[in-house]
Amino acid sequence: MAAAATNRAAALAVVAIVIAPPIVALGFTFAPALQIAGAVLLTVGLWLLAWVTARHIAPTAPRLTSSLLLLSSASVLVPMLLAVQWAIRSNLGTPALSIPDMARTHGVLNAFGFALAGVFGWRLLTAGSRQERGL
């Protein structure tokens, strides 16, 4: 993928991740269909971020940083499917995990796998970049 296309994919991921939570909130409050749409949009945005990170960022990073970024990227795949499934269940009555089960699966994988590993990975990446520039 060309650099311009990768940049567009990253920008699209950011836009989706930023606008999806308010859409989910509107769905909880006013229009249930928006809850599903917001969950799908957030999932697509996070998957796109995971793909850009795993394909274009992690391979260029030092081993520990790369491992953390890959763990973060992989950790968001299944939990976000669970989030979409839960949003659909909440509005259409299809089977899905309960809130306690969501906390144990979706919540733990997102918190420790995606967020914590991601924060450490991105922090190491930016610290290494800063050192290379002599800052």
Side-chain angles (χ1 to χ4, degrees):
M1 178 179 259
T6 300
N7 290 341
R8 281 192 303 274
L12 181 60
V14 169
V15 169
I17 291 166
V18 168
I19 67 171
I23 293 171
V24 171
L26 287 170
F28 271 109
T29 308
F30 300 110
L34 289 177
Q35 184 182 10
I36 297 169
V40 170
L41 183 61
L42 184 58
T43 298
V44 169
L46 288 170
W47 283 358
L48 194 52
L49 173 65
W51 179 81
V52 169
T53 301
R55 176 72 173 92
H56 298 284
I57 307 297
T60 66
R63 178 179 274 174
L64 175 60
T65 304
S66 178
S67 296
L68 288 167
L69 292 173
L70 289 171
L71 173 62
S72 176
S73 296
S75 293
V76 78
L77 300 177
V78 171
M80 291 312 298
L81 276 179
L82 295 175
V84 170
Q85 183 183 26
W86 191 87
I88 292 170
R89 182 211 66 167
S90 294
N91 293 288
L92 302 178
T94 59
L97 295 177
S98 66
I99 290 292
D101 288 336
M102 282 293 286
R104 284 190 290 275
T105 55
H106 169 85
V108 169
L109 284 170
N110 274 332
F112 293 104
F114 176 69
L116 190 61
V119 165
F120 283 129
W122 286 105
R123 179 70 180 113
L124 288 171
L125 186 69
T126 58
S129 175
R130 227 177 276 136
Q131 282 180 333
E132 288 173 6
R133 292 179 296 183
L135 299 176

